[in-house]
Amino acid sequence: MNDSLFDLTDRVVLVTGGSRGLGAAMSVGLAQRGARVVIASRKLASCEELAARIADSGGCAHALSCHVGQWDSLGAVVDAAAARWGRLDGLVNNAGMSPLAPSLLDTSETLFDKVIGVNLKGPTRLTALAATAMAATGGGSIINISSLASVRPTPLTTVYAAAKAGLNALTSATAREYASVGVRVNGIICGTFDTDAASGLVQNPEILRGIAMGRVGRPDEIVGAVVYLLSDASSYTTGSLMTIDGGVAG
């Protein structure tokens, strides 16, 4: 196989929620493969700390403040990401939040708006803005990080699951909209990974029994799929939803 197909040298990739958990693993992994990574999240200091670590290891990264739930601020985020190195080649819509509510009746409007805002509204706006920027310089690739909850919803994850199901639909629709300008859009449906957000599930026997591999995923185990979808290796892949969950029982 031609390894150059997976080469990301000098490609500029914006990763939202990029300073911790899966986002941090992706930021580090992409930088190790030559990408210029723009690490964005609400906590600028965390982004700066990770960018410095990447630089110390010989990689290339830039920190950027971003709250994906704030629609009107996202144009400046994409502009800043593209201006840093003169172009934008990739976007990973990774930022998300998955708070649990005791019941649907007890779900407040504020909580609903936050969950939809971060998991669906923000990626919708960022996709439109990033695709426009990418089209101006020859195209690019967008990855939406979804969740197993989008296809296996439970009462505890109702609003989160609905938002991620919407993200799946966004992936399919925008793949068709932007194919003509050279922008591919794909999604990754994630199972349980060993991150801070899933700390209570990592050793849960019930969760582990449902996974064929008998364990949750390591954050770095998402990197290969992200590299594939951002690289020329996936040049004929768009509108796809890839599941990475260790083999969850149907």
Side-chain angles (χ1 to χ4, degrees):
M1 181 177 292
N2 185 354
D3 288 342
S4 66
L5 284 174
F6 297 90
D7 186 17
L8 296 177
T9 300
D10 294 336
R11 297 198 185 185
V12 181
V13 181
L14 170 61
V15 182
T16 67
S19 65
R20 59 194 290 265
L22 294 181
M26 288 185 274
S27 295
V28 170
L30 294 174
Q32 289 173 339
R33 287 155 182 82
R36 297 172 173 177
V37 184
V38 180
I39 305 168
S41 82
R42 287 181 296 174
K43 297 182 178 180
L44 181 60
S46 297
C47 296
E48 291 173 335
E49 180 181 346
L50 182 57
R53 281 171 41 205
I54 289 173
D56 288 344
S57 299
C60 190
H62 175 63
L64 199 61
S65 178
C66 172
H67 187 324
V68 299
Q70 296 178 347
W71 182 282
D72 290 338
S73 71
L74 298 179
V77 171
V78 171
D79 288 347
R84 177 64 181 180
W85 288 292
R87 60 185 296 117
L88 184 64
D89 303 294
L91 165 67
V92 183
N93 278 316
N94 170 70
M97 61 180 299
S98 55
L100 303 180
S103 71
L104 189 60
L105 182 62
D106 293 325
T107 300
S108 68
E109 182 180 10
T110 298
L111 179 61
F112 180 91
D113 288 345
K114 285 183 178 179
V115 172
I116 296 297
V118 172
N119 292 295
L120 181 58
K121 183 175 74 172
T124 297
R125 184 59 174 162
L126 282 169
T127 293
L129 295 166
T132 301
M134 291 175 194
T137 54
S141 175
I142 297 172
I143 303 172
N144 293 319
I145 303 301
S146 186
S147 166
L148 205 58
S150 67
V151 293
R152 298 172 184 271
T154 68
L156 285 177
T157 62
T158 301
V159 178
Y160 174 70
K164 289 298 190 181
L167 188 63
N168 295 350
L170 177 74
T171 300
S172 299
T174 54
R176 296 179 64 85
E177 179 171 358
Y178 294 113
S180 63
V181 294
V183 177
R184 298 180 294 106
V185 187
N186 294 284
I188 299 176
I189 296 176
C190 295
T192 305
F193 281 79
D194 187 2
T195 64
D196 292 343
S199 59
L201 303 176
V202 173
Q203 299 299 329
N204 186 317
E206 185 175 345
I207 296 292
L208 298 182
R209 275 196 298 271
I211 302 173
M213 295 182 71
R215 64 176 178 84
V216 301
R218 301 188 312 271
D220 65 281
E221 290 181 304
I222 196 174
V223 173
V226 172
V227 170
Y228 167 70
L229 291 173
L230 288 172
S231 72
D232 292 342
S234 60
S235 59
Y236 195 56
T237 304
T238 196
S240 293
L241 294 170
M242 179 187 301
T243 299
I244 304 178
D245 63 4
V248 173

